[in-house]
Amino acid sequence: MPPKFGTSGLRGLVVELTPALVADYVQAFIAACPVGTGIWVGRDLRPSSPKIAGMVMQAATSAGIPVVDCGDVPTPALALAAMNAGAAAVMITGSHIPADRNGLKFYTPEGEITKDHETAILAALGSKTDVTPAPRGHDIAVPIAYAARYVDAFGGDALSGMTIGVYTHSTVGRDLLMHILERLGAQVIELGRSEKFIPVDTEAVDPKTREQLIAWAASHPVDAIVSLDGDGDRPLLTDATGQVVPGDVLGQITGAFLGAETAVTPVSSNTGAETIFDRVLRTKIGSPHVIAGMDCGGKVVGYEANGGFLLGFAANGLAPLMTRDAVLPLIAPLMLANGQGVAAMVKAQPARFTATGRVEDVPTDVSLAFVALLDTDLDARAAFLAGINGTEAAVDRTDGLRMTLTDGRIVHLRPSGNAPECRFYAEADSPDAAQAALTQGLTALTSELRA
């Protein structure tokens, strides 16, 4: 699949992210979007990221734009620093996808690029300007400012008395996350550091990782285990037994903790939000869609099923941050759980639970064709739902195909826009029922897609 540009920026196989292609997108970004005082560049820990970062900086300086090289930093830390400097930013990351792929995320001085920006960038491809090359600089204070954001807001005793395991694997935010938790008063135990890149997907945590988290929780006296995805903009939290808390639950807990009145979240997030917030706006999947929905103003937050959280108003001493953040939706639930435990805190949430999985290594056109078949063929849809002992009550086509069943369960199929896989989401009124629907659904989906 050739490189694609859309909701998650530019994504593709490393061998296809050539200097010419990267330069074309960077120069189109410069031509189509405001860049303010320059472009700040960060990267994750993939083997290919330093080389691609060099391509980005070369393209920007050749276009006459000053560049600041921020090195290995989490995406939200880069975005925060660039916005504070009135600058644009480019993050080199493939997020949670395998190391043979990588990508670029673009930010204006206002935050993540919008869908309108995406359209303008695509229209500007091929733009080139002959100007005097601009200088490069370096900034090593990006992580310091990001840590200070949370320590200043919550104080050094916020997590006092808690022991937190940190699954560091290969996330670029691993050392910074441990530093922040310690500064907030927690005792930290590092788990599972890897110098080889591991594609951790916080939205669809694989069975092997789940087993490892449970084993760590059993062998260490932790109140919780936390982690991040590859570029540090999606969180992972478990309770004291290693059970993963779904990302959308983290979002609704964090939004309520901050006093939000409106939540903007994709159609894939669970429906517990409707009983928590005064208003819930549902969007297509992807942070640009969430950001667009947050234009409603007021005390608004946005979050996704992967746990990424966007703060749209000043709250608890925190300035708004209009990009996915993974630290806030860890700190807020941990503060609430301090003294009662993560499991008890989650149990107090509305009785709607989600489970997410995916069928990997399936060409996008195959996934799209099958979902289109289910969308248009009632008999095919009924046969598929019979495989999970369900009968259709309603259908939502906001993004993919989301089917509400007569017993209250919800199942949702969506071909990925940036990887050869098909996502499957399940929702029910108990964790076991959601997991059972996911297991049955993935079995039926795998059979159809690999037929």
Side-chain angles (χ1 to χ4, degrees), residues 68 106 126 134 153 259 310-311 314 325 367 428:
V68 176
F106 296 95
L310 300 101
L311 179 61
D325 182 28
S367 297

Side-chain angles (χ1 to χ4, degrees), residues 93-388:
T93 180
S95 187
H96 62 281
I97 59 179
D100 64 341
R101 296 171 171 82
N102 212 326
L104 280 65
K105 292 182 179 179
F106 296 95
Y107 295 80
T108 72
E110 300 299 317
E112 283 190 37
I113 58 171
T114 64
K115 300 305 289 185
D116 288 342
H117 287 142
E118 289 177 11
T119 300
I121 291 169
L122 288 172
L125 289 174
S127 302
K128 290 186 178 181
T129 305
D130 293 324
V131 297
T132 302
R136 289 190 196 180
H138 296 270
D139 193 294
I140 60 174
V142 170
I144 297 173
Y146 187 58
R149 170 180 172 84
Y150 296 108
V151 177
D152 291 347
F154 298 116
D157 294 325
L159 302 179
S160 180
M162 298 191 81
T163 299
I164 301 172
V166 180
Y167 174 31
T168 52
H169 61 93
S170 54
T171 174
V172 71
R174 55 193 180 185
D175 295 323
L176 183 54
L177 178 59
M178 289 192 291
H179 171 73
I180 292 171
L181 295 174
E182 289 173 341
R183 289 283 303 279
L184 293 173
Q187 179 180 343
V188 170
I189 299 174
E190 183 178 7
L191 305 166
R193 179 177 287 252
S194 173
E195 298 311 313
K196 180 180 179 182
F197 188 81
I198 300 174
V200 173
D201 185 348
T202 63
E203 184 175 355
V205 183
D206 64 90
K208 183 178 179 180
T209 300
R210 289 179 182 272
E211 291 172 4
Q212 181 62 75
L213 292 166
I214 292 170
W216 278 328
S219 58
H220 297 279
V222 296
D223 296 294
I225 297 174
V226 300
S227 190
L228 309 168
D229 71 335
D231 66 317
D233 69 350
R234 304 180 184 194
L236 186 151
L237 172 69
T238 82
D239 63 18
T241 69
Q243 296 296 323
V244 175
V245 182
D248 45 10
V249 173
L250 295 180
Q252 65 191 37
I253 289 172
T254 303
F257 174 84
L258 296 171
E261 296 171 350
T262 300
V264 182
T265 191
V267 66
S268 56
S269 296
N270 86 54
T271 55
E274 275 76 2
T275 66
I276 292 176
F277 301 102
D278 295 340
R279 180 169 58 156
V280 177
L281 302 178
R282 297 282 177 170
T283 72
K284 290 185 176 182
I285 295 170
S287 52
H289 299 293
V290 174
I291 290 171
M294 292 173 70
D295 280 344
C296 61
K299 294 184 176 181
V300 58
V301 297
Y303 64 87
E304 301 178 81
N306 57 43
F309 191 87
L310 300 101
L311 179 61
F313 69 106
N316 288 58
L318 295 168
L321 181 57
M322 294 299 286
T323 189
R324 272 194 308 234
D325 182 28
V327 170
L328 183 55
L330 290 176
I331 294 174
L334 287 170
M335 288 177 65
L336 287 170
N338 199 355
Q340 65 168 315
V342 172
M345 175 192 63
V346 172
K347 188 175 181 180
Q349 294 299 299
R352 297 299 292 175
F353 301 89
T354 55
T356 305
R358 57 188 173 173
V359 179
E360 298 180 278
D361 300 320
V362 175
T364 301
D365 58 346
V366 173
S367 297
L368 287 170
F370 178 65
V371 173
L373 172 67
L374 294 188
D375 187 17
T376 57
D377 189 324
L378 292 175
D379 291 336
R381 200 153 72 228
F384 179 79
L385 292 177
I388 55 175

